[in-house]
Amino acid sequence: MKEEEVILVDQDNNQIGTMPKMEAHEKAVLHRAFSVFVMNDKGETMLQQRASHKYHSPQLWTNTCCSHQRVGESNIQAGKRRLQEEMGFVTELKELFSFIYKAPFDNGLTEHELDHVMMGNYTGNPQINPDEVADWKWMKPEDVKKDITNNPDTYTAWFKIIFEKFYDHIGQNATEDESKG
């Protein structure tokens, strides 16, 4: 089976090529990625714990799902595909924002991604894929923020970066929604 390829991009998200996923992480080359946050009607965020055999960040808690777009796939299509593959359900997604980050790991790999952050709503229980996910839970965003402060080593590097931006985004939008009402 051919190794999954990632889409290489410049700082403005223009595609400049493709590269096998592991090579891109070994060389710390900027590539397109996405992160999905699913929330329920109680305002809780669904977190997943990565499977123990993942090549980096095993057993760490992170957002609902994340991965890399495939050539010709929109951000939303990619998010829905990976949500189904990892968590066993699909929901409508909305893209919130994108940003670039770089996170080196102890094993010599580096995530250097232009990450597209998306959000969806779901109230059921996922049917997790044990090849991808060890566990899952719902948490209120303010509780996640406190837990990241108290237990930073239990979360993925990218989640800590993304969550701060996501937390600010949902806080700002809640304030804007209240001022409109």
Side-chain angles (χ1 to χ4, degrees):
M1 188 172 138
K2 188 177 179 220
E3 181 183 350
E4 185 97 12
E5 293 207 329
V6 296
I7 300 168
L8 305 181
V9 293
D10 63 18
Q11 301 279 326
D12 297 319
N13 196 30
N14 296 307
Q15 182 174 335
I16 57 174
T18 61
M19 183 180 282
K21 182 169 74 169
M22 283 301 287
E23 183 181 351
H25 290 115
E26 289 165 353
K27 294 180 176 178
V29 180
L30 182 63
H31 58 278
R32 197 174 285 158
F34 64 87
S35 297
V36 175
F37 286 80
V38 171
M39 299 189 74
N40 64 18
D41 294 341
K42 297 176 189 171
E44 298 168 320
T45 303
M46 182 184 288
L47 301 183
Q48 73 149 275
Q49 184 181 34
R50 290 170 58 86
S52 60
H53 59 270
K54 289 287 201 172
Y55 67 92
H56 70 75
S57 310
Q59 297 281 238
L60 297 182
W61 288 95
T62 197
N63 49 290
T64 313
C65 81
C66 52
S67 190
H68 305 95
Q69 297 85 334
R70 293 177 177 159
V71 174
E73 187 176 51
S74 73
N75 296 330
I76 299 294
Q77 289 169 331
K80 287 182 174 183
R81 170 183 53 81
R82 200 62 186 151
L83 200 53
Q84 178 65 51
E85 291 171 359
E86 290 187 18
M87 304 304 285
F89 70 90
V90 174
T91 189
E92 290 303 311
L93 298 174
K94 176 176 89 170
E95 189 164 346
L96 303 178
F97 56 89
S98 62
F99 70 102
I100 294 172
Y101 76 97
K102 194 171 190 177
F105 300 112
D106 292 341
N107 64 2
L109 301 177
T110 300
E111 290 282 17
H112 188 194
E113 298 183 333
L114 195 157
D115 195 22
H116 298 266
V117 179
M118 296 175 266
M119 188 169 84
N121 188 274
Y122 184 74
T123 56
N125 291 331
Q127 300 298 311
I128 60 173
N129 176 349
D131 290 336
E132 300 288 342
V133 180
D135 201 1
W136 70 279
K137 62 184 172 184
W138 291 109
M139 283 183 79
K140 291 237 178 248
E142 55 271 22
D143 294 335
V144 174
K145 188 172 180 140
K146 285 180 202 160
D147 199 45
I148 287 172
T149 300
N150 295 332
N151 303 294
D153 294 343
T154 63
Y155 292 91
T156 62
W158 66 88
F159 179 69
K160 290 181 277 191
I161 297 165
I162 296 165
F163 185 77
E164 195 59 42
K165 295 180 181 302
F166 175 72
Y167 187 82
D168 290 346
H169 179 85
I170 58 175
Q172 288 168 358
N173 286 327
T175 305
E176 288 171 15
D177 290 346
E178 288 167 11
S179 66
K180 289 177 189 171

